[in-house]
Amino acid sequence: MKIKQLHIYGFGKWQDQKWDFNDQQLSVIAGENEAGKSTIRAFILFMLFGLPPQQRKRYLPKRGGQLGGRMIIQGSDGQDYTIERVDNRSNAEAICYDQHGQKLAPDWLTEELNGVDRTLYNQIFNFDVFALQVEGGFSKEQLGEILLSIGMTGSDRIYQTEKQLNKSLDDQFKKGGSKPRLNQLIKQLTEQEKELKQLEDTVEAYQAHQEKSQAYQAEMKAIRLEIGRLKNELNLLVEQQRVYPAIETYHLNKQELLEYPEQIDFPEQGEERYKRLKETLQPLQADVEVIKRQLTELKSDHDELVEHLYPKQIINQIEKRLNQAREYQALVQEKYQIERQIKEKNQSISTQLNELQLNLTEADLEDLPLNYTTEQTWQDLAEQAVQNKQKLSENKSLLETLINQKSSLTTERELLETKTLSAREKEMTEQELEQINQRLYQPKQTDHPLIKQYNTQRIFNIVMISILLLSIILLLSSKHSLLNSILTGALLIVGGIFIWQQMKLRKKSLHMLNTQTEEATAEWHDRRILLMEKLTSHDHHRDQLLLASNKLKEVDDQYHVVKEQLVTLELEEARLTQLINEEKSKFSFLQSLSVQFWPDLAGRLRDIIDLMHQRDQLKATLTDLKEQLNQFEVETIEQFGQLIKADKTDFQSYLDQLKDLLFQQQTLLDRKDKLESRLTTMYDEQKQAEAKTIPYQKELDELLALAKVNSEEDFIKKAKLYQQWHELKETQQEMVRQIKVHLPDDLVGSILAGGYLTKTELNAKIQSNEAELRALDHQLNDLIKKDADLQAILNTLAHSKASLELKHAFHLTRDKLIEGAKEWLINQLALMQIERTKTIFQTSYLPVVLEKASAFFMQLTKGRYMNIDFDLDHTQLFLLASDQQTYQLEELSQGTMDQLFVSIRLGISSWLAEHIQLPFLIDDGFVHFDQQRKQEMERILEGLSDVHQIIYFTKDIPTNEQLRDKVEDRVIILS
């Protein structure tokens, strides 16, 4: 299986995202922490195995929407399939489609995964959490169980079965227990037997029949034991008959191996190595021959090319002249540019003179007494005229505004004078108010104790507040800031409390006083209010009258100032008019032009005069250029007239022909240099190609020496002989493994030693056993019938109804116990068979896995550790180092221990690759690796990607240069 595309509808932080892996065997998904790498890995597991509802809640989309997505995979048959899961559809069950969009069977995905479930996938192919990493190391049984689960089509059914069997056995029977069903039946049967013995008739007949029944039962028991023995023997014979082809093949191979030497000296994978070397060497030898032919052809081309080359001196002269031609071209371009500039300046001068419409010519401009002083004079006159005119307008407007303000203020003052009291009226009003106050507040009240107390307190308050303020001012002006702050705060607090107390006291006094004055007449009080309002209105209008008078005086003063400024501006206007007339007399074309346009006119006239000067300078430069160009053309034609026929009408064509000639010669020179360089390279390649053949030829000779032959023909013959011998050995070992799986060890040893029955003898013995079993069954049935008759007689001898009921209950309980015991025995036998199967997997497949894991671990640690094995005494892993020292897991560093667990995973996956090829999901699984071992791990992953697809989640790009180049265009960067 290979993942080709992921499309997330909504899963955790990802929403509507798509990633393509196409045909990449090794892909890298890189991103910082919290970038979403683990979420993508969880999504892949969700698509393959699903999630329970509670766990799906963890990955609900953060921004809303449905949880789910689809994944396109390449199946084991090479076709593309689509897996889709959606949270709210069929409880997120997988719906699979083929490449034509047809819906597949519900169990298609399980079959495609070859029965691998999430637990097993995490143990082998998912490198997020090391599922094999357990406290105290690995036991042989733990690895055996993992291998067994893989061997049982990748499911955990065997573990579930074992768990159910153990639970069922515990529920049925426990030694010394009371709650299990069989324990209760045994107890019940014992109690019933005691009761039954108490009720049984003691008649001799009953005892005689009872003894006879017991004899029958003893004989039946012996027959049943014999039947069991014969059945076991028959089962072994049947198993032996089933593996008879393997036994026969083993002994045939053993016989054939006698015809071969006991040991054949031949290099490991010698024939394949020899063929690879020959396949590699033949192209190298062919390359040497090709290089020799190419050298001959290159020498011929070189000699022919030298004949068409000019002397180096002539080529240098042409190149020098063409380099000078660049300057010539620049001068030609400069000439065209100057001619264009002269034409443009003539047009600009003519256009600007026409735009002025002053009937001026170039000759008139040359005679004008214009200079930069004139331009500045015109600029000053224009600015002063505009400014003076603007100020005159502003002052006239301001003068009119001031006249209006004076009129308005005079009217306002007259109105306010009518609303203000005269001195006589004010005096009379104040006298009347004083009289009313005397009536309201009689003189005798001033002697009231509360009035005296109130006046005394007010004076005391004023003194205290003055002292407090003076103290605060003195403290603030002092230099001790901290002390000042403390003292100031203390004074403020004390003063505040004091003022608060005085205010309370004052309020109380005023309340008592007000109570006593409530008897004053309402009429005097209202008259008093009316008089006070009249005086207040007088004060208000008097204040407004004073303001209006002051404002009128200010406006009058401002009026006189503006009047004087206006006279000054009129005098300035007359002076400017005189200066403008003087300039018009000097320059007649200014008569019809307003003064504000004079500065712009001066600038434009100055620009036209500058253009005339620039044009004259360009004309002089153009004359010099023409002389230089003519001299260069004459010299060039005289120098190279013999090589190229001159065309005096078109010198540029002559230069082009000269360039073509130089290009041809330079091309020939380049070809000559390249040919010479190629010749040198070919000589080096010839030496290198010949050198490349040497190690391969040497290795071929070494293979012949190891095989102890002198020719390729003898080597191939011996290779075939070795292959036949090796296949016989492997077939023999496989037959031994099959025999051991089905037969007990003691019988296996005898069979391998030659003590086994032939097929005919097996058939005869099986038939004999079956006949003996039939006879014993017949005998057993007769005894059962006789015992049944005796039981009937015994039943009739039972002397009471209670005895019959008790016997019935006793036999019913006994039957239940027998059935339960049979069921318990069956479960016990099944559990024993599972244990035996696990032991077979441990002994058969575990060495293969450890051998593969040892190879990975040795490569990963650069040969530091050579082998991984089990310590049988302590039932745990140990490592054999290159110095022959052994190490336990607790002696390893965390990084080395992680490398061991990864190697075991890779060993299991290599063993498993013959049946299942699933993608690896590795999420920064090598954090404890040092740089060297991490690079080695990346090389292992590169090799592993030839068999398994690998999706590597990391925050860093791989450090291994070869691996980094391989995945450079396959890195998915998460932001």
Side-chain angles (χ1 to χ4, degrees):
M1 176 188 289
K2 182 164 64 180
I3 298 172
K4 301 186 71 174
Q5 186 189 85
L6 298 177
H7 184 187
I8 298 179
Y9 304 154
F11 197 81
K13 70 172 288 184
W14 297 112
Q15 199 154 11
D16 195 19
Q17 290 289 331
K18 184 183 292 185
W19 295 278
D20 290 316
F21 300 101
N22 298 324
D23 296 326
Q24 300 166 4
Q25 282 292 105
L26 178 59
S27 301
V28 176
I29 298 179
E32 297 296 330
N33 293 334
E34 304 294 332
K37 303 186 296 299
S38 298
T39 304
I40 295 174
R41 186 167 57 86
F43 174 75
I44 294 173
L45 294 173
F46 168 65
M47 296 307 295
L48 290 175
F49 305 106
L51 279 174
Q54 285 300 115
Q55 294 185 27
R56 290 202 297 271
K57 290 180 181 179
R58 176 184 174 189
Y59 296 103
L60 289 174
K62 303 301 182 186
R63 296 189 297 274
Q66 64 177 182
L67 180 146
R70 62 169 50 202
M71 180 169 70
I72 298 177
I73 65 168
Q74 185 182 71
S76 55
D77 58 357
Q79 301 295 321
D80 287 351
Y81 297 93
T82 300
I83 304 170
E84 185 177 39
R85 289 184 190 266
V86 179
D87 182 32
N88 55 6
R89 186 178 64 191
S90 302
N91 197 25
E93 290 295 328
I95 299 177
C96 304
Y97 305 91
D98 62 14
Q99 58 187 356
H100 303 297
Q102 296 297 318
K103 194 171 180 180
L104 300 173
D107 58 348
W108 177 86
L109 180 58
T110 303
E111 293 176 358
E112 185 65 26
L113 290 169
N114 203 19
V116 172
D117 61 0
R118 178 188 287 267
T119 301
L120 181 59
Y121 188 88
N122 285 336
Q123 287 178 329
I124 306 300
F125 299 101
N126 184 8
F127 273 55
D128 178 25
V129 178
F130 289 105
L132 297 179
Q133 185 174 351
V134 293
E135 188 68 26
F138 285 112
S139 69
K140 193 171 184 180
E141 289 72 18
Q142 286 172 320
L143 274 181
E145 288 177 359
I146 292 172
L147 297 176
L148 177 60
S149 67
I150 297 169
M152 297 295 289
T153 66
S155 72
D156 62 349
R157 289 194 297 271
I158 193 164
Y159 297 113
Q160 296 299 331
T161 302
E162 186 177 15
K163 183 178 178 181
Q164 290 174 4
L165 286 174
N166 282 318
K167 185 177 184 302
S168 178
L169 288 171
D170 289 341
D171 290 342
Q172 288 176 331
F173 178 75
K174 275 187 180 179
K175 188 175 181 180
S178 59
K179 291 185 179 180
R181 188 163 59 90
L182 288 180
N183 292 77
Q184 292 179 358
L185 287 173
I186 291 171
K187 181 180 179 182
Q188 184 179 352
L189 192 64
T190 303
E191 292 173 352
Q192 289 175 347
E193 186 177 13
K194 289 179 180 179
E195 292 178 10
L196 189 59
K197 285 182 179 180
Q198 293 174 1
L199 294 174
E200 281 181 347
D201 192 8
T202 57
V203 181
E204 294 181 1
Y206 184 88
Q207 291 179 350
H209 288 299
Q210 186 72 23
E211 290 172 1
K212 196 171 184 181
S213 175
Q214 291 173 357
Y216 285 152
Q217 289 177 2
E219 190 174 355
M220 285 189 292
K221 182 177 180 183
I223 292 173
R224 286 192 179 100
L225 290 174
E226 181 63 17
I227 289 173
R229 184 191 68 78
L230 287 174
K231 283 185 177 179
N232 289 335
E233 184 178 344
L234 181 62
N235 289 336
L236 282 176
L237 289 171
V238 171
E239 286 293 317
Q240 194 172 347
Q241 185 183 45
R242 191 147 62 92
V243 298
Y244 185 80
I247 297 171
E248 190 175 31
T249 303
Y250 170 80
H251 286 287
L252 288 173
N253 283 3
K254 185 177 181 182
Q255 191 64 31
E256 289 180 17
L257 283 171
L258 294 175
E259 300 175 4
Y260 292 88
E262 185 175 349
Q263 185 66 34
I264 297 178
D265 294 327
F266 196 76
E268 185 72 21
Q269 298 180 346
E271 186 176 8
E272 290 80 1
R273 290 164 59 189
Y274 191 88
K275 288 180 180 178
R276 284 199 300 269
L277 289 171
K278 289 292 290 183
E279 290 172 356
T280 306
L281 189 59
Q282 286 173 356
L284 294 175
Q285 291 173 341
D287 289 344
V288 173
E289 293 301 322
V290 170
I291 290 170
K292 288 181 179 178
R293 288 198 300 271
Q294 290 177 349
L295 279 171
T296 304
E297 294 173 358
L298 287 173
K299 288 178 183 176
S300 175
D301 292 344
H302 180 268
D303 296 339
E304 182 180 353
L305 188 143
V306 170
E307 294 177 0
H308 294 84
L309 278 172
Y310 285 145
K312 186 70 174 176
Q313 182 180 2
I314 293 176
I315 294 174
N316 291 338
Q317 289 176 356
I318 295 172
E319 187 173 5
K320 182 178 179 182
R321 177 56 62 176
L322 288 174
N323 288 333
Q324 294 173 351
R326 295 190 185 94
E327 298 178 3
Y328 170 83
Q329 295 290 349
L331 292 175
V332 170
Q333 293 298 324
E334 187 177 356
K335 185 190 81 167
Y336 291 152
Q337 188 175 1
I338 290 173
E339 289 175 345
R340 179 179 57 77
Q341 290 177 355
I342 291 172
K343 183 178 179 181
E344 290 175 353
K345 291 188 184 298
N346 284 330
Q347 290 177 351
S348 180
I349 291 169
S350 176
T351 301
Q352 291 187 35
L353 285 174
N354 291 334
E355 288 176 352
L356 291 176
Q357 297 181 357
L358 296 176
N359 295 324
L360 293 174
T361 65
E362 291 186 21
D364 295 336
L365 288 176
E366 291 176 353
D367 296 335
L368 285 175
L370 281 173
N371 52 43
Y372 288 105
T373 305
T374 304
E375 185 176 353
Q376 185 61 41
T377 301
W378 289 5
Q379 179 69 32
D380 294 342
L381 284 174
E383 291 177 355
Q384 291 174 13
V386 171
Q387 290 176 1
N388 198 65
K389 185 176 181 180
Q390 183 179 359
K391 288 180 180 178
L392 274 171
S393 176
E394 290 174 353
N395 276 274
K396 287 178 180 178
S397 176
L398 180 59
L399 190 64
E400 184 177 353
T401 301
L402 291 173
I403 291 170
N404 292 334
Q405 287 181 356
K406 283 178 66 177
S407 175
S408 175
L409 289 170
T410 302
T411 304
E412 183 181 357
R413 186 181 64 179
E414 291 173 353
L415 179 61
L416 288 171
E417 285 176 349
T418 60
K419 295 180 179 181
T420 306
L421 296 175
S422 64
R424 177 61 181 167
E425 290 173 338
K426 181 183 178 185
E427 182 180 357
M428 292 176 66
T429 302
E430 288 176 346
Q431 288 177 359
E432 186 181 356
L433 180 62
E434 180 65 25
Q435 292 174 359
I436 291 172
N437 285 336
Q438 288 177 359
R439 290 175 182 175
L440 289 173
Y441 308 105
Q442 295 178 3
K444 61 181 180 179
Q445 289 180 338
T446 56
D447 296 333
H448 196 282
L450 291 175
I451 298 297
K452 291 182 179 181
Q453 183 182 357
Y454 175 75
N455 292 332
T456 304
Q457 287 175 353
R458 185 170 63 176
I459 294 170
F460 182 73
N461 289 344
I462 292 171
V463 172
M464 290 302 296
I465 290 170
S466 301
I467 294 172
L468 179 62
L469 290 175
L470 183 61
S471 301
I472 291 171
I473 292 170
L474 290 175
L475 287 172
L476 291 176
S477 62
S478 177
K479 294 181 180 180
H480 301 289
S481 59
L482 179 61
L483 181 60
N484 294 344
S485 300
I486 295 171
L487 293 174
T488 302
L491 286 173
L492 287 173
I493 292 169
V494 173
I497 293 170
F498 174 77
I499 292 171
W500 175 69
Q501 291 290 341
Q502 293 299 319
M503 288 177 67
K504 283 180 64 179
L505 184 61
R506 177 186 174 189
K507 184 177 179 182
K508 183 178 180 182
S509 300
L510 288 175
H511 178 70
M512 293 175 66
L513 185 61
N514 288 334
T515 302
Q516 294 176 1
T517 57
E518 285 179 356
E519 298 175 357
T521 61
E523 183 180 352
W524 290 347
H525 184 71
D526 292 341
R527 179 60 180 169
R528 176 178 175 274
I529 292 171
L530 182 63
L531 292 174
M532 289 181 67
E533 288 177 353
K534 187 176 181 180
L535 289 173
T536 301
S537 175
H538 165 77
D539 292 339
H540 174 69
H541 288 104
R542 183 194 58 192
D543 293 340
Q544 287 184 340
L545 179 62
L546 291 174
L547 288 172
S549 299
N550 292 335
K551 184 66 176 176
L552 182 61
K553 185 176 182 305
E554 290 175 2
V555 170
D556 190 56
D557 293 341
Q558 190 175 2
Y559 171 80
H560 291 297
V561 171
V562 171
K563 192 77 173 174
E564 291 175 359
Q565 290 177 352
L566 192 59
V567 173
T568 304
L569 289 172
E570 288 173 349
L571 293 174
E572 179 66 17
E573 178 72 15
R575 185 186 70 81
L576 289 173
T577 302
Q578 183 181 356
L579 292 173
I580 290 169
N581 291 333
E582 290 176 358
E583 291 297 318
K584 286 182 177 180
S585 63
K586 291 181 184 179
F587 303 97
S588 59
F589 55 83
L590 295 177
Q591 294 294 336
S592 61
L593 195 63
S594 178
V595 68
Q596 64 260 30
F597 299 112
W598 288 10
D600 180 59
L601 175 63
R604 296 185 68 177
L605 291 174
R606 174 56 56 195
D607 292 341
I608 294 171
I609 293 170
D610 290 342
L611 285 172
M612 292 166 59
H613 291 162
Q614 292 172 9
R615 179 195 62 190
D616 295 339
Q617 291 175 0
L618 289 171
K619 286 180 178 179
T621 303
L622 181 62
T623 303
D624 293 340
L625 282 175
K626 288 181 178 180
E627 292 177 358
Q628 294 178 29
L629 291 171
N630 185 56
Q631 181 181 357
F632 180 80
E633 292 172 359
V634 171
E635 290 177 354
T636 302
I637 293 172
E638 289 177 354
Q639 186 175 6
F640 301 106
Q642 296 178 350
L643 298 177
I644 301 173
K645 186 177 180 179
D647 184 0
K648 294 184 178 180
T649 60
D650 187 5
F651 183 72
Q652 183 61 44
S653 175
Y654 187 82
L655 286 177
D656 292 338
Q657 294 179 38
L658 203 59
K659 286 180 183 178
D660 293 340
L661 180 62
L662 177 63
F663 178 75
Q664 293 173 3
Q665 291 297 312
Q666 286 178 339
T667 302
L668 291 174
L669 279 173
D670 290 342
R671 286 183 59 196
K672 175 175 172 291
D673 293 339
K674 289 179 180 178
L675 284 172
E676 290 174 352
S677 174
R678 182 64 178 156
L679 282 168
T680 303
T681 304
M682 292 300 291
Y683 282 125
D684 293 339
E685 288 179 358
Q686 182 182 5
K687 292 178 183 178
Q688 292 174 3
E690 290 173 349
K692 286 179 180 178
T693 62
I694 293 173
Y696 294 110
Q697 187 62 50
K698 184 178 179 182
E699 193 171 348
L700 281 175
D701 295 339
E702 289 177 357
L703 287 175
L704 293 175
L706 289 172
K708 297 182 180 180
V709 294
N710 298 320
S711 66
E712 181 178 350
E713 184 179 357
D714 293 340
F715 184 86
I716 298 224
K717 287 181 180 179
K718 195 164 185 179
K720 291 181 180 178
L721 181 66
Y722 175 79
Q723 180 67 23
Q724 294 170 358
W725 175 81
H726 188 67
E727 288 177 356
L728 287 172
K729 280 284 189 182
E730 286 187 344
T731 303
Q732 189 181 43
Q733 291 174 0
E734 177 61 22
M735 295 304 105
V736 171
R737 187 190 67 77
Q738 291 183 16
I739 294 169
K740 287 183 176 181
V741 167
H742 296 90
L743 298 176
D745 293 341
D746 54 348
L747 185 57
V748 169
S750 174
I751 290 173
L752 296 181
Y756 65 96
L757 299 173
T758 64
K759 196 169 187 179
T760 304
E761 291 172 342
L762 281 172
N763 290 334
K765 197 157 187 177
I766 288 171
Q767 291 175 2
S768 174
N769 272 25
E770 288 175 347
E772 193 172 349
L773 279 171
R774 283 195 297 273
L776 288 172
D777 283 338
H778 181 71
Q779 185 179 353
L780 181 62
N781 288 332
D782 289 343
L783 288 172
I784 291 173
K785 185 177 180 182
K786 291 177 180 179
D787 185 60
D789 293 338
L790 281 176
Q791 291 299 325
I793 294 171
L794 287 171
N795 289 335
T796 58
L797 293 176
H799 59 80
S800 69
K801 184 179 179 180
S803 176
L804 290 174
E805 291 176 354
L806 185 59
K807 285 181 180 180
H808 177 72
F810 173 81
H811 289 293
L812 185 61
T813 304
R814 187 183 63 180
D815 292 341
K816 288 182 180 179
L817 179 62
I818 291 171
E819 291 298 322
K822 287 180 180 179
E823 184 180 352
W824 179 85
L825 183 59
I826 291 170
N827 290 340
Q828 190 69 34
L829 290 172
L831 190 61
M832 292 171 63
Q833 188 63 32
I834 289 175
E835 291 297 330
R836 183 182 174 204
T837 305
K838 287 164 62 177
T839 303
I840 291 170
F841 269 86
Q842 292 168 11
T843 56
S844 300
Y845 298 134
L846 184 57
V848 178
V849 171
L850 290 180
E851 182 181 355
K852 294 180 180 293
S854 297
F856 284 119
F857 195 49
M858 182 169 65
Q859 179 182 353
L860 193 56
T861 60
K862 291 287 188 179
R864 171 74 178 86
Y865 297 96
M866 306 295 293
N867 195 29
I868 304 171
D869 210 335
F870 274 104
D871 183 349
L872 296 177
D873 294 334
H874 298 89
T875 64
Q876 64 178 5
L877 282 174
F878 71 91
L879 306 178
L880 178 64
S882 57
D883 57 359
Q884 301 304 311
Q885 296 293 324
T886 59
Y887 294 89
Q888 304 297 330
L889 291 188
E890 58 269 14
E891 298 178 282
L892 302 178
S893 67
Q894 183 62 47
T896 305
M897 194 176 298
D898 287 352
Q899 291 147 24
L900 171 63
F901 298 147
V902 170
S903 300
I904 293 175
R905 284 174 177 265
L906 297 181
I908 295 174
S909 67
S910 298
W911 173 75
L912 189 60
E914 300 175 3
H915 312 287
I916 309 171
Q917 293 178 359
L918 296 176
F920 273 92
L921 305 179
I922 304 176
D923 189 356
D924 268 343
F926 318 122
V927 292
H928 293 125
F929 288 24
D930 57 34
Q931 190 65 24
Q932 185 179 12
R933 294 189 180 182
K934 189 172 183 180
Q935 291 180 355
E936 197 63 40
M937 188 67 237
E938 290 168 354
R939 278 190 282 271
I940 291 174
L941 290 181
E942 181 185 2
L944 189 63
S945 66
D946 295 335
V947 180
H948 294 272
Q949 183 188 22
I950 297 175
I951 302 177
Y952 185 51
F953 300 86
T954 181
K955 65 178 185 302
D956 303 312
I957 302 300
T959 56
N960 179 276
E961 183 176 352
Q962 186 176 2
L963 181 61
R964 187 170 61 249
D965 294 340
K966 186 172 181 180
V967 303
E968 184 176 5
D969 57 343
R970 313 177 200 174
V971 177
I972 298 173
I973 304 295
L974 302 180
S975 58

